[in-house]
Amino acid sequence: QVRLVESGGGLVQPGGSLRLSCAASGSIISINAMGWYRQTPGKQRELVAGLTNGGKTNYADSVKGRFTISRDNAKNTVYLQMISLKPEDTAVYYCKGTIRDKTDFIARDYWGQGTQVTVSS
């Protein structure tokens, strides 16, 4: 069984910063791509930032230059550093990992439970 647990969300003023963490645990053989998504009520979940196993990153246009995704392979953890936060960044942020586990050696997507980020004065 594989589990992703996010942390680091909270309330921050506009212009502030937060760092989200997502730790993967369980019967992991390997982790391929990992990414951060966000969702607001009534809207579809959208990709915020992605990071491949080879280190290639991609970002939503709305966060380029403000958000940075990184990964600590030794800890099976992915981070999202967010600066210059805006009220429109308010959302539930979810971590997704494409992970091959020991159960059947098949790579599949796993999601965390989400962490709320609220940007408000």
Side-chain angles (χ1 to χ4, degrees), residues 34-36 49-51 57 59 67-71 78-81:
M34 295 193 80
W36 288 95
L51 176 60
T57 59
Y59 296 93
F67 291 11
T68 303
I69 187 171
S70 61
R71 180 170 162 179
V78 66
Y79 304 96
L80 185 68
Q81 178 67 50

Side-chain angles (χ1 to χ4, degrees), residues 6-119:
E6 300 107 334
S7 61
L11 173 65
V12 63
Q13 292 186 342
S17 302
L18 280 176
R19 189 176 84 151
L20 306 183
S21 300
C22 172
S25 62
S27 54
I28 297 170
I29 294 177
S30 62
I31 299 177
N32 299 334
M34 295 193 80
W36 288 95
Y37 292 72
R38 66 187 181 188
Q39 189 171 23
T40 55
K43 292 188 177 181
Q44 286 191 332
R45 194 172 295 186
E46 63 173 359
L47 173 69
V48 175
L51 176 60
T52 68
N53 202 29
K56 183 178 179 180
T57 59
N58 63 296
Y59 296 93
D61 287 343
S62 60
V63 307
K64 284 181 181 177
R66 300 187 298 121
F67 291 11
T68 303
I69 187 171
S70 61
R71 180 170 162 179
D72 184 333
N73 290 329
K75 295 182 179 179
N76 287 338
T77 299
V78 66
Y79 304 96
L80 185 68
Q81 178 67 50
M82 306 184 291
I83 65 171
S84 302
L85 283 161
K86 304 175 181 179
E88 50 263 45
D89 294 318
T90 296
V92 178
Y93 283 70
Y94 296 90
C95 170
K96 187 184 85 169
T98 303
I99 298 172
R100 189 181 306 276
D101 69 64
K102 298 176 182 177
T103 304
D104 55 12
F105 302 96
I106 293 175
R108 54 174 58 87
D109 291 339
Y110 293 89
W111 290 88
Q113 81 287 354
T115 185
Q116 176 70 46
V117 171
T118 302
V119 184

